Amino acid sequence: MRNRAGQILRERRLELGLTQEEVALELHMSIHQYQRYEYGEHQLSNCPMKVGLRICAVLELDPYEIIFESEP
């Protein structure tokens, strides 16, 4: 089950025409590790700042969009 942050990641990835594998390769992580963020199994709010910022950079997202849009 996706949380709001995971949904934002998925929507943006699709807007950019990227696959999960392409994003994972750009992030230097396994596809399964990236999928955990997108599927909401790992919370972006709990990940290391460098990882969160790298995800935002690859998906061309403003970190504030993830922080504030994913709040309940």
Side-chain angles (χ1 to χ4, degrees):
M1 174 184 222
R2 283 190 175 91
N3 57 18
R4 182 66 185 133
Q7 187 66 31
I8 291 169
L9 295 180
R10 178 182 184 276
E11 289 171 2
R12 184 62 181 151
R13 177 180 58 76
L14 293 174
E15 285 174 8
L16 294 172
L18 299 170
T19 66
Q20 289 179 334
E21 184 175 18
E22 290 169 326
V23 173
L25 285 171
E26 189 70 29
L27 293 169
H28 306 286
M29 66 174 60
S30 74
I31 187 172
H32 300 293
Q33 187 177 359
Y34 174 73
Q35 285 174 331
R36 288 183 186 110
Y37 289 109
E38 198 171 292
Y39 294 150
E41 295 171 16
H42 285 239
Q43 301 295 319
L44 280 175
S45 59
N46 294 334
C47 77
M49 185 185 306
K50 285 176 82 172
V51 172
L53 290 175
R54 281 190 0 230
I55 290 172
C56 288
V58 168
L59 295 176
E60 302 172 12
L61 285 168
D62 182 337
Y64 288 103
E65 186 175 350
I66 297 291
I67 295 167
F68 295 116
E69 287 295 320
S70 62
E71 289 182 351

